[in-house]
Amino acid sequence: MSVSSLGNSEDLSLKDKRGFVALAHPSPLRLGTGHGVYILSDINDEYDTGTQCVSILPIPVGACSGCCYKRRMSILEILPCTKVLQKPTESLMRDEGAVITSSHVPEYIRQCSPTHDWVFTDSNFFFDHSITDKLVQFYRENSPLRDEICAYGDFLQPLGAKADNVYINNFKNIVHVSTDLMSTRQKVFDLLKGSPLNIVTLKQSKFYHIGTMGEYLESFCSKFDLQEELGLSRFCRSAFVDSADKHVGGCIMQSLLCGSCHFDPLSIVEFCTFTGPVVIQDGCVVSNCVYDRAEPITIPTNTFLQTVPVFDEEYKSVRYVTLMFSVKDDMKAKALSLDAAGSISYLQRDITNFCQVYDISLEELFIQGSPISLWHARIFPLSESPQESLLLALHMLRALTSPHKRDKTDEELLSNSFARHLVDYESQRYRDGDAIDSNGFSHTNGHNSAVTTGNGLNSWSECHVSRPLYSFADIIKFKNAKLMIDGRTELAKRISLAQH
């Protein structure tokens, strides 16, 4: 998001601009390494002389948000772009002439960049009907599209007088590299090359990128200037069900809580119903979760949890799955082969740790033919209810992050096996009062219903038959968006009643 002022829009006309028009924000070099960077013609000379100014707009002090109200003038320019870089290194930005080193440094850059060197980074962009016609025709000629095409990486990099196609060989940020990807990217390059790209430079803007979990936590828990500029509240549309002492920090959005909840200050809770005691440590993002039991549960530091309703194809009914990972995990991490899968990290551990804890092979973790990536790893089991799903995820989290790494006996494997837990849970299907306690363990009134193999241990394949395991990609595909929206609507009603 950006905080900026465009002044009087009548002073800026885009009527004669064809092809692409993009907004650009001044950003420190470190931010440029994770975004698109525009190279503008003779940009340093123009900043030193102040030429090609479309309009100079007077802004009353205090009339707009962000650093705008600290300066009296906002200079708005439209400049042609000669080349677009995507997530470049600092040295590449300097070599290509993207870095601005003039004495006219925006206040925002002075505050966050010790060198005062800066670049223009990408934001929203727009294109006219001529580009739309080209893209529609491209789809008609090449459908169905089976390759991952990026609206920024593949649409913008062919633009500008100095554009080249070197980028089509760079697959660093591509989750799924198909055999035809390079040829498809080349076709898009040929289609769009030569299209005009004009940049609206918003020099009085501040750019906040909220694209990672770390940025999400920082922006809403510790960046007080952003909260002040946008008038944000850290306790928004939420309520307590009792009058007990409150110990919740962080940022709380549309959640119903009990007074015995305790949230650390660097945590985010959204769309949750916690009428039972929940402790959330720093660095956590918890979304759409439910807990109402009397026993306290703890969500450890740097954990992301989100419960999602999905449609279970096998049972033709709605089930629930809780996504769980570390906020520091790289969701785009991938390996070229199973032998290299150890380079993928899950919960900040080698993903083979998952296989060791649950006694499964990499071949069982990844469906044959699917990309070998964290996004496609079959990790998450289905549950009958949101609460059971959350508790099951916490059980997994504890098992996977336990510091004790020693060889287990067959008896210990049997008692601690996640496979046994899942098979036991699924086969009982809530018969005889089956439940999972607040520590994530299954109870079946003393009955042992685990399905075992000849050696007394549960096999993962048997577990998979009883309870399908989903990957991130599966959950996106099968999630029941309507049920999630309906649930949040009902939650809003409950919060409203609690507030009154």
Side-chain angles (χ1 to χ4, degrees):
M1 68 174 66
S2 65
V3 179
S4 58
S5 172
L6 295 180
N8 185 349
S9 60
E10 293 180 358
D11 293 320
L12 177 65
S13 174
L14 300 174
K15 292 180 180 180
D16 61 338
K17 304 303 177 185
R18 298 292 180 259
F20 288 78
V21 173
L23 307 183
H25 306 280
S27 301
L29 301 192
R30 60 174 176 78
L31 195 61
T33 60
H35 298 275
V37 173
Y38 296 122
I39 302 175
L40 307 179
S41 178
D42 301 322
I43 186 66
N44 280 294
D45 292 340
E46 287 162 12
Y47 267 83
D48 287 333
T49 61
T51 61
Q52 295 194 19
C53 181
V54 171
S55 62
I56 298 179
L57 309 172
I59 299 179
V61 174
C64 64
S65 297
C67 64
C68 302
Y69 57 66
K70 300 174 184 176
R71 300 167 63 92
R72 291 182 178 274
M73 305 295 285
S74 174
I75 302 175
L76 205 61
E77 294 179 279
I78 303 178
L79 299 173
C81 180
T82 60
K83 192 174 184 179
V84 182
L85 307 176
Q86 276 295 326
K87 300 184 178 179
T89 62
E90 181 175 331
S91 60
L92 181 60
M93 286 186 274
R94 293 188 183 278
D95 291 343
E96 293 281 0
V99 178
I100 302 168
T101 58
S102 75
S103 58
H104 297 276
V105 182
E107 184 67 24
Y108 166 52
I109 301 299
R110 293 183 184 275
Q111 294 173 358
C112 62
S113 176
T115 65
H116 292 175
D117 291 348
W118 52 289
V119 292
F120 274 118
T121 54
D122 60 8
S123 178
N124 295 345
F125 70 87
F126 313 87
F127 49 81
D128 63 11
H129 289 296
S130 68
I131 303 298
T132 302
D133 292 340
K134 286 185 177 182
L135 294 174
V136 170
Q137 185 61 31
F138 176 83
Y139 178 76
R140 288 171 177 168
E141 295 173 355
N142 295 275
S143 63
L145 294 176
R146 305 186 185 279
D147 304 299
E148 181 180 333
I149 299 300
C150 175
Y152 284 85
D154 291 303
F155 284 6
L156 295 185
Q157 287 189 102
L159 310 179
K162 297 181 180 180
D164 58 53
N165 66 345
V166 174
Y167 71 90
I168 69 171
N169 301 301
N170 183 354
F171 303 136
K172 181 180 179 181
N173 297 301
I174 305 294
V175 174
H176 178 41
V177 180
S178 62
T179 56
D180 297 327
L181 178 60
M182 190 182 301
S183 62
T184 301
R185 299 184 85 185
Q186 180 65 53
K187 290 178 182 178
V188 175
F189 176 84
D190 294 337
L191 178 75
L192 298 177
K193 181 172 173 54
S195 301
L197 173 59
N198 289 285
I199 306 299
V200 179
T201 59
L202 304 173
K203 294 182 293 298
Q204 300 297 340
S205 65
K206 295 176 69 174
F207 179 58
Y208 295 96
H209 185 257
I210 309 177
T212 67
M213 289 297 161
E215 290 171 339
Y216 188 31
L217 286 161
E218 181 184 14
S219 297
F220 290 101
C221 296
S222 60
K223 277 192 174 177
F224 299 108
D225 52 347
L226 171 64
Q227 298 166 31
E228 179 182 348
E229 288 161 2
L230 298 182
L232 302 178
S233 168
R234 298 183 69 182
F235 191 83
C236 178
R237 298 181 180 179
S238 300
F240 289 91
V241 295
D242 54 35
S243 57
D245 292 339
K246 312 300 189 296
H247 303 282
V248 293
C251 182
I252 318 298
M253 294 176 276
Q254 195 168 323
S255 295
L256 191 62
L257 312 173
C258 70
S260 52
C261 287
H262 184 100
F263 304 159
D264 282 351
L266 296 179
S267 61
I268 293 176
V269 177
E270 58 178 26
F271 307 108
C272 289
T273 303
F274 289 150
T275 52
V278 177
V279 176
I280 299 178
Q281 298 178 350
D282 275 334
C284 290
V285 177
V286 185
S287 177
N288 216 57
C289 294
V290 175
Y291 185 72
D292 65 4
R293 298 185 182 176
E295 304 85 1
I297 59 172
T298 297
I299 299 174
T301 185
N302 294 332
T303 300
F304 173 89
L305 292 168
Q306 182 182 42
T307 302
V308 179
V310 297
F311 184 77
D312 183 358
E313 292 283 354
E314 181 179 352
Y315 289 98
K316 304 299 180 185
S317 62
V318 172
R319 300 287 187 92
Y320 296 86
V321 59
T322 297
L323 289 164
M324 174 190 64
F325 55 88
S326 167
V327 297
K328 297 182 178 181
D329 285 339
D330 181 1
M331 301 306 299
K332 294 183 178 180
K334 57 183 179 294
L336 297 178
S337 67
L338 286 177
D339 293 337
S343 63
I344 300 173
S345 175
Y346 179 56
L347 296 175
Q348 292 295 282
R349 289 163 172 79
D350 185 327
I351 200 167
T352 58
N353 173 65
F354 185 95
C355 298
Q356 293 169 359
V357 171
Y358 296 139
D359 194 26
I360 67 170
S361 66
L362 287 169
E363 288 81 5
E364 293 170 298
L365 193 62
F366 298 101
I367 297 176
Q368 186 175 7
S370 72
I372 303 170
S373 66
L374 184 55
W375 190 257
H376 292 88
R378 297 186 300 163
I379 295 173
F380 307 106
L382 302 184
S383 295
E384 296 279 354
S385 72
Q387 180 163 262
E388 302 296 341
S389 181
L390 172 62
L391 294 173
L392 188 54
L394 292 177
H395 173 74
M396 288 177 59
L397 181 61
R398 187 174 57 255
L400 288 166
T401 57
S402 171
H404 305 294
K405 300 296 181 185
R406 62 181 178 84
D407 294 335
K408 296 183 176 68
T409 65
D410 285 355
E411 182 179 356
E412 287 173 318
L413 280 171
L414 180 61
S415 62
N416 295 322
S417 169
F418 179 53
R420 169 179 174 173
H421 173 77
L422 292 182
V423 175
D424 186 30
Y425 181 79
E426 181 66 27
S427 60
Q428 284 291 323
R429 299 289 304 280
Y430 285 90
R431 291 177 303 183
D432 303 321
D434 184 26
I436 299 178
D437 67 19
S438 60
N439 292 313
F441 291 108
S442 177
H443 298 281
T444 56
N445 290 341
H447 299 292
N448 182 1
S449 60
V451 180
T452 60
T453 59
N455 62 2
L457 296 178
N458 303 104
S459 72
W460 188 259
S461 59
E462 288 174 321
C463 169
H464 178 66
V465 169
S466 294
R467 178 185 290 268
L469 298 173
Y470 277 37
S471 65
F472 288 102
D474 294 329
I475 293 170
I476 296 299
K477 179 179 179 181
F478 294 110
K479 70 176 180 181
N480 190 315
K482 182 180 183 303
L483 187 60
M484 180 175 284
I485 293 172
D486 290 345
R488 291 181 177 182
T489 301
E490 182 61 31
L491 174 59
K493 293 178 181 178
R494 293 183 62 188
I495 291 172
S496 180
L497 289 174
Q499 289 173 332
H500 296 87

